[in-house]
Amino acid sequence: MSSDALTISDRIQQKLDDLTRAERQLAHSILENYPISGLGPLTELALDANVSGPTVARMVQKLGFKGYAEFQAELREELRAKVKGPIAKHDTWADSAPSGHILNTFTDAVIDNIRHTLGQIDPQAFDKACALVGDPAHHLYIVGGRVTHTLAEYLFLHMQVIRPNITHVQSTSNAWPHYLLDVKPGDVFVIFDVRRYENNTLKLAEMAHAQGAKIILFTDQWRSPVHQLADISFSSRIVVPSAWDSAATTLLLTETMISAVQNLHWDDTKGRMEELEAMFDQTKLFRKFT
């Protein structure tokens, strides 16, 4: 699967409005346990989704495949890409290294990721997520993992200025269950989880969900298992010519959310910013050039 190709999940999302009722039922069944759900026999997939075999055959053709075998081959390729570690990813890229300079090829890949990602995002869902994140009546918890804790901390530092009642939870810490003691129904969890999905993050999401919290998930194109619990999910494309995945698109969505949320309650946010600046002046934390 090339880096700029749509995943089967992308194709399903694009085609949902064009599918029949039975085909949409099948599509949602596939997405619930994607991509594993489509790796078994056609009859097993049809049975799991409570649809007929011909419904499966028609839908895979609508997705652009000649038949179920080609559909499964693409799913297996996606699964191989999903479980690659950094060394295997680098070897794959090095074998087909582009001739252009890395500055250009990397940037092109990031731009493609942004374009594909924004094409799949529902603006209404994004607005709803921002409203949840910006609502000071409910406690906001922000969660990151081994790598994504940097994105979580970035969002936390800005939200800490914008609104009160906020907690940064690091799922890599053994103390994260402590944070769940005070979770109430309606509280909001923003969770970052990309491939090499972390067991701690999933368990935290399960426990928060059980306590009635709403979950907003930032994940990758293959989608973290947390998406099954999330009220709103944003899938960013992350593949670049590198041994590591790119956080650029996820950071773009994060910064866009920060911008949107600050404007929802600007008068309150402005007051908090002014108070914080006054504290900075007292501490002389920053140098002033006048």
Side-chain angles (χ1 to χ4, degrees), residues 212-232:
K214 295 184 180 297
I215 296 175
I216 298 167
L217 173 67
F218 287 91
T219 186
D220 55 41
Q221 63 225 57
W222 299 285
R223 302 196 303 175
S224 155
V226 175
H227 88 270
Q228 297 182 49
L229 305 168
D231 295 85
I232 304 172

Side-chain angles (χ1 to χ4, degrees), residues 138-139 141 180-188 208 211-214:
H138 297 284
H139 201 99
Y141 296 85
L180 297 176
L181 288 171
D182 297 320
V183 173
K184 296 179 177 60
D187 286 348
V188 177
Q211 290 177 241
K214 295 184 180 297

Side-chain angles (χ1 to χ4, degrees), residues 249-263:
T249 307
T250 310
L251 179 59
L252 172 66
L253 294 180
T254 302
E255 290 195 313
T256 305
M257 174 172 280
I258 291 168
S259 177
V261 173
Q262 77 174 8
N263 292 326

Side-chain angles (χ1 to χ4, degrees), residues 96-170:
S96 57
S99 58
H101 192 280
I102 186 64
L103 283 170
N104 293 321
T105 57
F106 197 99
T107 300
D108 286 344
V110 169
I111 290 172
D112 280 343
N113 286 345
I114 292 172
R115 179 167 51 84
H116 283 300
T117 298
L118 294 183
Q120 299 299 312
I121 289 181
D122 179 359
Q124 291 183 333
F126 190 80
D127 291 345
K128 181 180 178 182
C130 291
L132 288 171
V133 170
D135 182 2
H138 297 284
H139 201 99
L140 174 65
Y141 296 85
I142 299 177
V143 183
R146 173 177 166 267
V147 174
T148 55
H149 75 90
T150 55
L151 292 166
E153 184 172 2
Y154 187 80
L155 178 61
F156 169 74
L157 288 173
H158 287 80
M159 288 300 153
Q160 201 174 26
V161 178
I162 293 170
R163 53 155 294 172
N165 302 327
I166 180 170
T167 300
H168 180 204
V169 181
Q170 294 195 34

Side-chain angles (χ1 to χ4, degrees), residues 8 35 38-40 68-82:
I8 290 176
L39 296 179
Y68 191 66
E70 187 178 62
F71 168 81
Q72 281 195 314
E74 182 70 13
L75 273 180
R76 291 191 185 97
E77 188 64 26
E78 284 189 27
L79 187 59
R80 278 193 289 271
K82 186 175 181 178

